[in-house]
Amino acid sequence: MGTLIKDGKVVSAQATTLADVLIEGEKIARVAPGIGAAGHAVVDAAGMLVLPGGIDVHTHLDMPFGGTVSTDDYEWGTRAAAIGGTTTVIDFALQSMGHPMTEAFRTWRAKAEGKACIDYALHMAVTDLGPDDEWLDEVDAMVAEGITSFKIFMAYPNVLMVNDATIFKLMQRTAKLGALVCVHAENGTVIDVVVQQALATGNTGPLYHALTRPVEAEAEAVHRVVAISEIAGGASVYIVHVSCEESMREVAAARARGLHVTGETCPQYLLLSLEDHMGKPGFEDAKFVFTPPLREKKNQAPLWQALKDNVLQVVSTDHCPFRFADQKTLGLGNFTRIPNGAPGIENRMQLILHHGVNAGRISLERFVELTAEAPARIFGMYPRKGVVAAGSDADIVLWDPSAKYTITAAGQSMNTDYSIFEGFAVKGNARQVLSRGECIVDGGKFVGRVGRGRYLRREVAGQ
Ligand SMILES: [Zn+2]
């Protein structure tokens, strides 16, 4: 006896078709029209979209930053993700300077253990190769553990930033292994000077977080890291949180030259802007302090177009929530002490479907590609994840396209006291969410077991 999802519209990156989906155990057994209901538990999906569970490849759960820790641990964060229709996350294990990567791997597995509500994988954020590069060999060990993507920061000097030599050595290694390097692209040393100059002239409010991180600093870093990847023998590069037209153009140029460069943007850069959300008096703007910062509104249309044109392949969230009341306030009087980050893991599917598909900017199939299939392919999880097809994990969202929902802090499932999308009204929402065949969300409520999520070993996606 299996579960039969009957009469829904099954959406893939290629097509939308009326079909039934038969689930046996944790896997999808068959996708076809008119599967006989006898002997199966039937879920009526008439009028529903049947989507592959969302994959959010950029989250920071339980992450230490700026003297505090992001408020969503693996339980809070993955539960909120599930409620929003996301069934897989890739979170960042963060290597501490002076400590091996293997230690960070153990630390992050322990953070997730007993708490993850959906399946999760890890990237390794590399901050230190060791005094004699002795930890470079750990890259191979991490790939063997299923960590096939490595993050580097070109920003945050003395905290997370690595220099170009380290990037180059890492990329030589990942190129050989077929692994991926994810890049936070910003020229951190120049930004730091601009920041110090702002503070010295008394510009200490949250707005100056945005004004001290110019778009050129992002575009320059994208250009530089692409060049380094070429020198390193054609390493695969994934640019995280592309926030502006300038850096998007650098990604486009690299791709036009046939390089293995991919990238993502996030809902906040598509839907919020410097003009609309920053520059008000007081400290309220600290809610919108994340990095890269909000950009001028004129960047939004080019970023949507880049998603449509496959210049960018993925929409992730960069979910990194802090409370306004007692965490963001660490930066009262000095914007550099405001913890960088904002909540978003719960709202990605709603926002991109509404403002992308309903608004006519992208097709429904492209939505599925951006939120599930491409993330699975780029990060070595396809076809186990990211598609509703026979043999894949039964990670499925029954999406009600006519449901109306308004995003508010009061109504959200994330462990924060505000929403950057407060008052945003969307049409369409997850009605039921299945993870490996198990219904874990029903009518907006989490009905699964905390700790049921599993660690996913990923493959190298290759070139
Ligand atoms: Zn991030």
Side-chain angles (χ1 to χ4, degrees):
M1 158 145 172
T3 301
L4 186 65
I5 300 174
K6 196 93 188 118
D7 299 328
K9 284 183 192 160
V10 179
V11 190
S12 74
Q14 292 74 39
T16 301
T17 44
L18 260 180
D20 301 337
V21 179
L22 179 63
I23 298 165
E24 282 174 356
E26 299 190 341
K27 300 276 185 189
I28 296 167
R30 248 185 103 194
V31 181
I35 299 177
H40 302 306
V42 174
V43 178
D44 178 16
M48 298 289 128
L49 302 177
V50 180
L51 309 175
I55 301 176
D56 191 342
V57 302
H58 189 155
T59 69
H60 300 282
L61 304 175
D62 203 354
M63 192 187 83
F65 189 94
T68 187
V69 180
S70 65
T71 54
D72 277 340
D73 64 4
Y74 271 76
E75 177 180 340
W76 279 95
T78 58
R79 185 170 47 212
I83 288 168
T86 290
T87 52
T88 302
V89 295
I90 312 183
D91 203 60
F92 292 93
L94 187 60
Q95 182 198 15
S96 303
M97 282 183 179
H99 296 261
M101 294 178 210
T102 44
E103 184 182 308
F105 178 59
R106 280 195 302 272
T107 301
W108 257 263
R109 288 292 302 277
K111 284 174 189 275
E113 188 65 36
K115 289 188 173 179
C117 301
I118 55 175
D119 292 348
Y120 71 99
L122 294 168
H123 312 277
M124 180 58 61
V126 177
T127 57
D128 192 353
L129 294 180
D132 300 306
D133 293 339
E134 63 267 34
W135 294 328
L136 192 53
D137 286 336
E138 290 197 318
V139 168
D140 301 61
M142 289 297 105
V143 169
E145 293 282 8
I147 295 187
T148 54
S149 47
F150 299 82
K151 165 100 171 271
I152 50 119
F153 291 89
M154 300 172 83
Y156 308 120
N158 307 315
V159 187
L160 297 168
M161 191 179 95
V162 290
N163 63 25
D164 293 349
T166 297
I167 297 171
F168 180 63
K169 289 175 199 166
L170 177 67
M171 284 185 165
Q172 283 185 315
R173 186 63 66 100
T174 58
K176 226 176 265 170
L177 295 167
L180 185 63
V181 175
C182 304
V183 182
H184 176 131
E186 276 190 309
N187 187 318
T189 55
V190 170
I191 286 170
D192 252 23
V193 174
V194 180
V195 164
Q196 292 313 320
Q197 290 171 347
L199 289 176
T201 51
N203 292 325
T204 58
L207 174 65
Y208 288 92
H209 170 76
L211 299 185
T212 54
R213 309 187 85 90
V215 290
E216 293 82 358
E218 184 178 322
E220 182 278 327
V222 174
H223 187 90
R224 179 163 30 114
V225 82
V226 167
I228 294 171
S229 77
E230 280 193 274
I231 306 168
S236 293
V237 179
Y238 177 89
I239 309 293
V240 301
H241 48 45
V242 173
S243 73
C244 57
E245 180 171 7
E246 285 80 355
S247 58
M248 179 274 284
R249 297 257 171 249
E250 293 290 344
V251 173
R255 291 178 60 79
R257 290 165 57 214
L259 302 176
H260 302 293
V261 178
T262 47
E264 66 179 21
T265 189
C266 313
Q268 54 270 35
Y269 305 114
L270 296 163
L271 299 171
L272 308 175
S273 69
L274 189 61
E275 297 93 315
D276 291 347
H277 297 90
M278 290 202 99
K280 293 176 284 301
F283 192 65
E284 202 70 10
D285 289 351
K287 292 176 178 174
F288 299 93
V289 168
F290 39 75
T291 304
L294 284 180
R295 302 302 194 182
E296 289 176 68
K297 202 165 189 160
K298 65 181 182 189
N299 291 282
Q300 292 175 355
L303 289 176
W304 278 110
Q305 191 64 36
L307 290 175
K308 186 175 179 185
D309 295 345
N310 202 38
V311 168
L312 300 176
Q313 292 71 36
V314 174
V315 178
S316 70
T317 60
D318 196 8
H319 176 76
C320 190
F322 297 100
R323 282 184 305 273
F324 182 67
D326 61 334
Q327 290 183 300
K328 289 287 186 180
T329 47
L330 293 168
L332 267 169
N334 182 340
F335 69 86
T336 65
R337 301 209 180 112
I338 301 170
N340 282 204
I345 201 167
E346 185 175 347
N347 305 122
R348 178 182 65 130
M349 304 286 275
Q350 300 160 340
L351 288 168
I352 300 304
L353 204 145
H354 183 79
H355 291 280
V357 181
N358 294 354
R361 292 177 169 121
I362 54 171
S363 68
L364 183 58
E365 293 78 15
R366 182 62 179 161
F367 164 80
V368 161
E369 193 162 27
L370 294 167
T371 57
E373 184 172 321
R377 285 184 189 275
I378 292 170
F379 291 93
M381 297 182 285
Y382 187 87
R384 180 169 169 197
K385 304 288 191 189
V387 63
V388 178
S392 297
D393 282 358
D395 292 359
I396 293 172
V397 181
L398 295 192
W399 190 271
D400 181 351
S402 61
K404 292 203 168 121
Y405 182 74
T406 301
I407 297 169
T408 62
Q412 74 190 1
S413 303
M414 301 177 284
N415 189 21
T416 38
D417 56 359
Y418 76 97
S419 168
I420 55 174
F421 300 107
E422 185 73 29
F424 272 60
V426 294
K427 195 173 162 214
N429 206 356
R431 194 175 81 172
Q432 268 186 38
V433 179
L434 281 72
S435 166
R436 282 182 279 100
E438 182 190 342
C439 180
I440 59 168
V441 173
D442 198 359
K445 292 210 164 40
F446 183 72
V447 295
R449 183 176 55 82
V450 171
R452 59 171 296 287
R454 287 188 199 143
Y455 172 68
L456 284 168
R457 281 172 195 278
R458 292 181 290 123
E459 310 286 325
V460 291
Q463 303 283 346

